[in-house]
Amino acid sequence: PDAHRIYVPRGTHVQVLDESTQKVVADIPGMRGIHGVAIVPKANRGFVTGNDPKGVIYVFDLKTNQMTSKIPTGEEDCDGLFYDPSTDRIYVQNGDSMTSTVIDPAAAKVVGTIKYAGPLEAGVSDGKGMLFVNLVDSAEVAEVDAKTLTVKTTFSAKPCQRGYGAAFDVAHRRLFLACQGAMPVGV
């Protein structure tokens, strides 16, 4: 937000837009099967999920908008990802592998893995060390301790079926899920 940039994944490249003018200011090529983008300003890096064919995380420089490296995860279906400033880590959701790959953004390397009981989609942080991850096939949410990288509990997200998106309202401590075939649900 401080740079007033919007990063848009486009399958094989990321377009960088100016927030005010909506004009393309850069285009970062050389990626395959990309899904999500997470930005870490203090590390001057952006991270992009890809399936190349197995999971890979592309890393790019925020100032030059050039790809600088790739982080292989070996996981299937690298999908969404998010940066959590409270733990200073990137969390990559690997749907079919039923894992999250945990990345140290400063070192640009994998530092851990979180295992789940089913396929997953979106994840989000509460800003205080807990993560919430949609378990897409079971209409559940896994509550994860970000320090120990372990699932503490799971709870029902019904009436949500096939939750695909997640957001957390820090001020009111509410989790919101975007669900297939239903209105968003607050839990």
Side-chain angles (χ1 to χ4, degrees):
D2 294 342
H4 303 285
R5 296 288 182 253
I6 300 169
Y7 297 86
V8 183
R10 298 283 193 193
T12 59
H13 59 109
V14 173
Q15 288 183 316
V16 184
L17 307 177
D18 180 278
E19 178 184 74
S20 301
T21 66
Q22 290 85 47
K23 292 186 182 195
V24 176
V25 296
D27 200 323
I28 307 167
M31 302 174 212
R32 291 182 23 193
I34 65 173
H35 291 274
V37 178
I39 304 301
V40 185
K42 75 182 216 177
N44 188 43
R45 291 186 168 135
F47 297 81
V48 183
T49 55
N51 292 295
D52 192 30
K54 282 247 186 188
V56 63
I57 307 305
Y58 299 101
V59 183
F60 65 93
D61 183 286
L62 296 181
K63 288 185 176 71
T64 66
N65 292 311
Q66 298 294 314
M67 189 172 20
T68 58
S69 63
K70 296 179 188 178
I71 304 169
T73 69
E75 302 289 348
E76 295 288 341
D77 190 23
C78 287
D79 200 350
L81 76 165
F82 62 95
Y83 171 64
D84 175 28
S86 71
T87 59
D88 195 27
R89 291 180 173 165
I90 295 281
Y91 298 89
V92 180
Q93 312 309 40
N94 307 309
D96 294 344
S97 293
M98 301 185 291
T99 63
S100 290
T101 300
V102 184
I103 296 173
D104 174 335
K109 70 178 204 173
V110 174
V111 294
T113 301
I114 304 166
K115 297 181 192 259
Y116 300 92
L120 54 141
E121 275 292 332
V124 67
S125 168
D126 72 350
K128 295 185 176 187
M130 294 304 289
L131 311 176
F132 299 94
V133 177
N134 283 338
L135 299 181
V136 70
D137 289 345
S138 63
E140 293 180 305
V141 173
E143 187 174 1
V144 178
D145 182 322
K147 284 185 181 179
T148 63
L149 304 181
T150 57
V151 175
K152 297 307 243 178
T153 188
T154 59
F155 56 88
S156 175
K158 291 183 180 177
C160 183
Q161 294 178 4
R162 302 207 49 85
Y164 287 104
F168 195 84
D169 177 354
V170 175
H172 299 97
R173 308 260 334 129
R174 297 223 36 201
L175 172 66
F176 293 89
L177 304 175
C179 308
Q180 182 178 358
M183 296 295 289
V185 176
V187 289

